[in-house]
Amino acid sequence: MGDFVTTRQTSYPTAVAQVYEAIKRRILDGSYRPHEYVRETGVAKELEVSRTPVREALRELVTEGWLEAIPHHGARVTAWTEQDAQEVFEIRLLLEPLAIHRAARHIQAAQLKQLQQLAKRMELLAEQAGDSARNDIAALNHEFHRELIRASGSQRLATVLDMVVRTSVTRRNLQNYRHDHVLRSMRHHREMLVAIEAGNAQWAENVMRAHLLAARDLHLNFEDGGG
């Protein structure tokens, strides 16, 4: 599984940041579906804020590509095309193995410990059934990949990957994964960390590549109706 979105650093008032994160989270977990309109008044009422911070948050989300502005209608969730998904996997297959290769050489002990804790939490959740556990795994998977890329020590690499990935194909497909697919992903995560701890950059890189190829294959099967 591969999904990460860098935590937003902002000078906007706290209310705007909270609205921004709430809407983005709902896009990622599927609460807002592709092409669904995110209404300013509805969000303001639900989050108990004025319309001003909602308006600012929506503007920022449009700028970043999470939403698209439709004249005379408002802002709606950006839909992914199959070409978008293919391009993202191609770019990730080039850059994420590089990121983990660097992480195997530059990771700090505290970063490795945090990644091990995230992997353990996902493994425990993988033993459970139900949509709630899958959503929790998706959120932790997002954090796992984000922290792994941060451990590369390259802010440029992290920024480029964040720009490319945006909303994750894998996160949206997670509900379609069979249990053995989820367990395989957990094994990949664990093996990545073993390779990093051993300082074996090539091993870590190869596992990441296999991890992404497996995710891409599952995505293509889902799109073809064979998921």
Side-chain angles (χ1 to χ4, degrees), residues 12 52-65 67 75:
Y12 287 135
T52 300
V54 177
R55 190 177 304 118
E56 292 297 325
L58 291 175
R59 185 177 296 117
E60 182 73 7
L61 288 160
V62 168
T63 299
E64 294 185 356
L67 302 175

Side-chain angles (χ1 to χ4, degrees), residues 95-207:
L95 296 184
E96 285 198 65
L98 172 60
I100 197 171
H101 185 104
R102 288 179 55 89
R105 296 181 173 179
H106 300 288
I107 196 166
Q108 303 296 313
Q111 291 175 312
L112 179 59
K113 183 177 180 181
Q114 181 181 7
L115 286 164
Q116 290 169 335
Q117 291 171 343
L118 289 169
K120 181 62 175 178
R121 290 168 64 188
M122 283 187 281
E123 288 163 356
L124 292 173
L125 285 167
E127 297 173 3
Q128 304 175 24
D131 291 347
S132 177
R134 291 292 179 93
N135 287 336
D136 289 342
I137 291 173
L140 290 170
N141 180 67
H142 152 74
E143 188 175 352
F144 180 90
H145 279 263
R146 182 186 64 195
E147 294 303 320
L148 188 56
I149 288 160
R150 284 180 177 173
S152 72
S154 172
Q155 183 58 49
R156 290 185 180 87
L157 193 54
T159 299
V160 169
L161 279 165
D162 183 45
M163 289 174 61
V164 168
V165 175
R166 296 299 184 194
T167 53
S168 169
V169 175
T170 304
R171 185 161 185 153
R172 291 181 181 231
N173 282 336
L174 185 59
Q175 297 298 338
N176 296 319
Y177 276 38
R178 295 199 313 260
H179 187 58
D180 59 308
H181 296 153
V182 176
L183 293 179
R184 179 177 63 191
S185 183
M186 299 303 100
R187 289 194 299 271
H188 285 161
H189 288 166
R190 183 60 66 179
E191 188 174 357
M192 288 177 206
L193 298 182
V194 172
I196 289 173
E197 190 169 20
N200 192 324
Q202 190 62 55
W203 179 13
E205 182 179 334
N206 288 341
V207 178

